[in-house]
Amino acid sequence: MSVQPDITQQALRHRSREIVDAVAEGQSFTLTRDGRPIGRLLPLRQPRRFVSRREFAAGSRAAPAVDLDAFRADQDAMAADPGPDDPYAR
């Protein structure tokens, strides 16, 4: 866990652009007034859209083995009757 440096209310007012840029790059701050902490400035977590090949491979190695015959048997046991192909043929 990283240390969150203290930043005064006055420093936030005078250096807001620099501080906001730091937050956008992942830095967190503890906001203080009269030497007492009053809040935190934290970057928002962005949802991941991409998993690298290395991360996927590492996760795949840790996954349990799948018995394909048992999997197919489970699928067949749970399959609902599809009924006729024509939805109007009753």
Side-chain angles (χ1 to χ4, degrees):
M1 186 176 237
S2 64
V3 176
Q4 295 178 0
D6 290 351
I7 188 156
T8 66
Q9 180 182 7
Q10 182 180 13
L12 178 60
R13 187 171 40 247
H14 293 293
R15 299 174 32 219
S16 63
R17 181 182 180 97
E18 174 188 343
I19 293 164
V20 169
D21 287 345
V23 171
E25 293 175 7
Q27 178 67 48
S28 300
F29 295 94
T30 300
L31 183 61
T32 64
R33 181 190 299 156
D34 298 327
R36 291 187 309 256
I38 61 169
R40 292 192 186 125
L41 298 173
L42 304 171
L44 294 176
R45 288 187 175 188
Q46 298 296 323
R48 289 180 56 170
R49 295 177 165 257
F50 175 78
V51 176
S52 71
R53 183 179 293 173
R54 179 178 294 145
E55 289 174 302
F56 180 79
S60 297
R61 283 191 293 273
V66 176
D67 179 356
L68 293 179
D69 292 329
F71 178 76
R72 287 187 183 113
D74 285 345
Q75 291 292 317
D76 290 341
M78 296 304 293
D81 179 21
D85 291 335
D86 184 1
Y88 299 105
R90 293 189 183 196

